[in-house]
């Protein structure tokens, strides 16, 4: 479903992403790990067509994102880092706007989608609140809801559980797990337990390069008996 | 192109979701009307039933007021990070540019049309030439669009709203000053008259003046429209780079 080959992005003299390649099929949940500044968000931005790669290709459903960006964006649900949203809109207005741009122009279809994601992400209690007045966790949920609204075949989530309380973290993980059967999901995270909890595969990147690409079980098998964070430290050091 | 509608709607209603719209509309009316009644406008002393003394200040007023509307168009999205959201939605850059521009233009049109009570007053006091009045309104709306095109472009260049405002103001000022007689005389003294003429031809003042006299010259209409088209094209280029 998602295929990335040799992606490169350079900012000034700094190689943020240095030849990253991987593949994600439907039914897979790929955990994207790496220290701060490793290039996770930059890779996702190239994959979603927000920034142009200096080299390499990214395809979604066989379509190259630089060739037909709109077709790729139609298939993607994307939660950018720190979940940006228009602060002066209410949650409901915002989701209706996204639904409309996503092609749900007919009022009943739009209503139906918005109600559906409001329920999924437990936003009903704040639906009429403006986004600028929401707490961080609720803002994060609005970003998640927005990414799900068109039931996309591919989901790209940049730190989806950042700022959520333990209950919500669990809830979001369960949600992602339940949806994953017919979707390709990439999620970045700094929480190593999350990998064990939901990911079917892990990619660890450091300084713009892939240093591990395997199942969580294989990752553990690298150093039997060691904790995940120890393995992470050895790989990214 | 169907995606322009939701983008337009969000941007346009966005003005009214914050106090920006009301502050802007009220200030615009207060300033424009007081200029007309001022020593320089001579709205009453003129003794003519026309809005000429009201509209005469528009090229100057727009120089300050349109950047205030245009500065946030892209700078705000860049600052808040929503630009990442916007450009990962299934829309083209052109659709986004047009949606935003048209929303800003519609908002400015409302501001201009809110002066209609002035027109009614003139109609009550005398016998104005309604044809001239309509032409002037058309000219003002077209000119606002051209100013906004420039401001949208400068706004796409920076995420800092203050820089955006100052850049827009400077760019708009150029288009006003080109037509000032003192400026053109200087120009004529250093450049061949034909070149100086050409340069002053780019002034908003020159093109707007014709409308206030009731002349709708296709040349002036095309000038404003092509300036909008050109700045919007550059706007797309600036965002895609
Ligand atoms: N617009 C930019 N201009 C210059 N450098 C940038 C820009 N965006 C990112 N970088 C650099 O690229 C590198 C990778 O950044 P990126 O945001 O992809 O990291 P990340 O893996 O998402 O980190 P984090 O875990 O902190 O979110 C960093 O060194 C960052 O400073
Ligand atoms: Mg990041």
């Amino acid at each position: 479903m998602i295929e990335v080959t040799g992606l490169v992005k350079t900012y000034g003299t700094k190689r943020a992403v240095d030849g990253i390649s991987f593949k994600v099929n439907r039914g897979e949940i790929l955990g994207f790990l790496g220290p701060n500044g490793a290039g996770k968000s930059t890779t996702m931005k190239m994959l979603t067509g927000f920034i142009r790669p200096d080299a390499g290709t990214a395809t979604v459903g066989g379509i190259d994102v630089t060739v037909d960006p709109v077709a790729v964006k139609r298939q993607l649900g994307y939660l950018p880092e720190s979940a940006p949203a228009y602060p002066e809109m209410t949650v409901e207005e915002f989701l209706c706007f996204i639904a409309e741009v996503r092609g749900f122009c007919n009022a009943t279809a739009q209503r139906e989608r918005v109600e559906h994601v409001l329920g999924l992400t437990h936003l009903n209690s704040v639906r009429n609140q403006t986004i600028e007045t929401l707490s961080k966790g609720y803002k994060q949920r609005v970003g998640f809801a927005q990414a799900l609204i068109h039931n996309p075949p591919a989901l790209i989530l940049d730190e989806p559980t950042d700022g959520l309380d333990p209950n919500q973290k669990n809830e979001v993980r369960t949600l992602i797990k339940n949806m994953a059967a017919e979707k390709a999901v990439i999620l970045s995270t700094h929480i190593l337990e999350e990998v064990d909890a939901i990911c079917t595969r892990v990619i660890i990147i450091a300084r713009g390069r892939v240093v591990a690409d395997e199942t969580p079980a294989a990752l553990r098998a690298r150093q039997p008996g060691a904790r995940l964070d120890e393995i992470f430290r050895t790989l990214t050091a | 192109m169907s995606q322009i509608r939701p983008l337009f709607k969000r941007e346009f209603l966005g003005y009214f979701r914050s106090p920006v719209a009301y502050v802007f509309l009220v200030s615009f009316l207060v300033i424009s009307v007081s200029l007309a009644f001022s020593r320089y406008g001579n709205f009453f002393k003129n003794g003519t039933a026309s809005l000429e003394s009201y509209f005469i200040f528009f090229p100057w007023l727009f120089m300050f007021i349109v950047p205030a509307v245009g500065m946030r168009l892209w700078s705000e999205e860049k600052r808040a990070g929503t630009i990442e959201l916007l450009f990962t939605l299934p829309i083209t850059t052109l659709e986004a540019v047009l949606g935003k521009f048209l929303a800003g233009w519609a908002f400015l049109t409302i501001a201009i049309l809110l002066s209609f009570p002035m027109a009614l007053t003139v109609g009550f006091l005398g016998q104005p030439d309604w044809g001239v009045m309509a032409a002037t309104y058309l000219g003002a709306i077209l000119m606002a669009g051209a100013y906004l095109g420039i401001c949208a472009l400068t706004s796409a260049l920076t995420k800092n709203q203050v820089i955006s405002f100052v850049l827009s103001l400077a760019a708009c000022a150029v288009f006003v000053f080109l037509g000032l007689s003192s400026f053109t005389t200087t120009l004529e003294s250093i450049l061949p008259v034909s070149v100086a003429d050409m340069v002053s031809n780019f002034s908003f003042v020159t093109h707007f003046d014709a409308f206030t006299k009731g002349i709708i010259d296709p040349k002036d209409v095309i000038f404003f429209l092509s300036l909008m088209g050109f700045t919007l094209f550059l706007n797309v280029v600036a965002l895609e780079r």
Side-chain angles (χ1 to χ4, degrees):
Chain A
M1 182 76 209
I2 299 173
E3 192 168 350
V4 167
T5 32
L7 275 192
V8 173
K9 183 74 197 179
T10 315
Y11 288 113
T13 57
K14 191 178 165 50
R15 272 268 150 106
V17 173
D18 191 3
I20 285 188
S21 308
F22 61 85
K23 234 170 152 170
V24 191
N25 298 315
R26 275 180 195 254
E28 277 192 300
I29 303 178
L30 174 71
F32 220 46
L33 302 181
N36 291 134
K40 302 180 294 295
S41 303
T42 310
T43 307
M44 289 182 164
K45 283 178 192 168
M46 288 191 275
L47 182 51
T48 51
F50 178 61
I51 55 176
R52 215 185 286 271
D54 295 334
T57 53
T59 63
V60 178
I63 306 164
D64 189 325
V65 37
T66 50
V67 175
D68 191 351
V70 174
V72 167
K73 289 166 187 174
R74 221 170 263 138
Q75 303 183 60
L76 287 178
Y78 176 41
L79 166 65
E81 197 167 23
S82 71
Y86 295 105
E88 74 284 356
M89 294 177 107
T90 67
V91 172
E92 198 174 343
E93 283 167 350
F94 177 68
L95 292 175
C96 285
F97 162 68
I98 299 287
E100 199 176 344
V101 180
R102 289 280 185 192
F104 299 96
C105 298
N106 152 317
T108 35
Q110 192 177 321
R111 191 75 284 151
E112 194 259 318
R113 287 313 301 170
V114 170
E115 293 302 330
H116 179 67
V117 294
L118 280 174
L120 276 184
T121 52
H122 302 278
L123 282 168
N124 267 310
S125 58
V126 295
R127 60 191 301 159
N128 294 320
Q129 213 171 316
T130 56
I131 291 172
E132 62 194 343
T133 63
L134 293 181
S135 72
K136 176 170 174 177
Y138 274 100
K139 238 191 101 192
Q140 187 74 16
R141 288 190 227 175
V142 172
F144 189 49
Q146 160 279 124
L148 297 179
I149 209 155
H150 53 304
N151 195 18
L155 265 181
I156 306 208
L157 308 169
D158 202 344
E159 303 191 23
T161 54
D162 181 36
L164 297 184
D165 64 54
N167 302 339
Q168 275 300 318
K169 274 200 177 85
N170 252 320
E171 182 99 17
V172 165
R173 285 175 198 158
T174 319
L175 253 174
I176 295 176
K177 215 169 175 174
N178 292 343
M179 284 185 307
E182 72 281 15
K183 288 188 204 304
V185 182
I186 302 181
L187 61 91
S188 77
T189 179
H190 288 300
I191 306 167
L192 295 170
E193 307 87 75
E194 204 148 81
V195 172
D196 265 339
I198 54 170
C199 297
T200 59
R201 227 173 83 219
V202 195
I203 285 186
I204 299 182
I205 61 172
R207 289 177 294 276
R209 289 171 178 277
V210 177
V211 294
D213 180 354
E214 54 210 14
T215 61
L219 187 68
R220 275 194 183 283
R222 281 179 179 242
Q223 287 177 38
R227 292 205 321 270
L228 270 181
D229 58 347
E230 284 162 354
I231 302 173
F232 180 83
R233 196 175 319 131
T234 4
L235 280 170
T236 56
Chain B
M1 285 291 126
S2 61
Q3 306 304 67
I4 293 180
R5 210 180 81 94
L7 298 174
F8 173 89
K9 206 169 77 182
R10 192 205 68 75
E11 187 73 32
F12 184 74
L13 294 178
Y15 287 107
F16 295 94
R17 287 199 181 105
S18 65
V20 174
Y22 307 100
V23 171
F24 177 88
L25 292 174
V26 170
S27 322
F28 176 74
L29 280 181
V30 168
I31 298 171
S32 62
V33 171
S34 43
L35 275 174
F37 284 105
S38 74
R39 202 149 63 81
Y40 310 100
N42 282 331
F43 181 70
F44 283 127
K45 281 208 211 116
N46 267 346
T48 52
S50 82
L51 277 185
E52 208 185 329
S53 59
Y54 179 70
F55 282 112
I56 195 113
F57 296 105
F58 268 36
W60 299 94
L61 194 54
F62 280 9
M63 191 171 104
F64 293 96
I65 227 116
V66 180
V69 172
M71 67 178 183
R72 58 186 285 283
L73 281 180
W74 295 106
S75 308
E76 177 76 12
E77 298 254 2
K78 287 189 172 182
R79 196 191 49 74
T82 45
I83 192 154
E84 189 169 350
L85 187 84
L86 187 66
F87 283 126
T88 47
L89 289 172
I91 53 166
T92 61
T93 312
L94 179 65
E95 286 169 337
V97 165
L98 284 178
K100 273 184 175 284
F101 172 78
L102 291 175
W105 198 14
F107 179 69
L108 285 170
T109 301
I110 289 183
I112 294 168
L113 293 182
L114 278 184
S115 68
F116 202 65
M118 284 285 285
L120 291 180
T121 315
V122 173
F124 177 73
L125 294 174
Q127 297 277 304
D129 185 335
W130 292 104
V132 172
M133 199 94 93
T136 315
Y137 271 107
L138 175 70
I141 291 169
L142 283 172
M143 183 170 64
Y147 271 106
L148 187 66
I150 295 171
C151 299
L153 173 60
T154 50
S155 165
L157 300 176
T158 170
K159 66 170 144 212
N160 184 318
Q161 294 215 22
V162 177
I163 296 180
S164 167
F165 179 81
V166 174
L167 274 181
S168 308
L169 184 64
C172 292
V174 169
F175 278 94
V176 173
F177 288 130
L178 286 178
L180 288 191
S181 55
S182 56
F183 189 81
T184 40
T185 350
T186 329
L187 218 54
E188 274 165 12
S189 65
I190 41 175
L191 291 172
V193 176
S194 58
V195 178
D197 261 6
M198 214 175 72
V199 172
S200 64
N201 233 321
F202 273 97
S203 167
F204 284 9
V205 181
T206 335
H207 289 279
F208 179 59
D209 271 354
F211 286 100
T212 60
K213 297 189 175 69
I215 307 159
I216 303 179
D217 187 337
K219 219 173 65 221
D220 299 321
V221 176
I222 289 170
F223 169 78
F224 284 129
L225 288 180
S226 49
L227 193 68
M228 279 182 242
F230 183 62
T231 48
L232 291 179
F233 165 74
L234 289 180
N235 201 332
V236 172
V237 173
L239 288 167
E240 281 190 343
R241 114 201 109 109

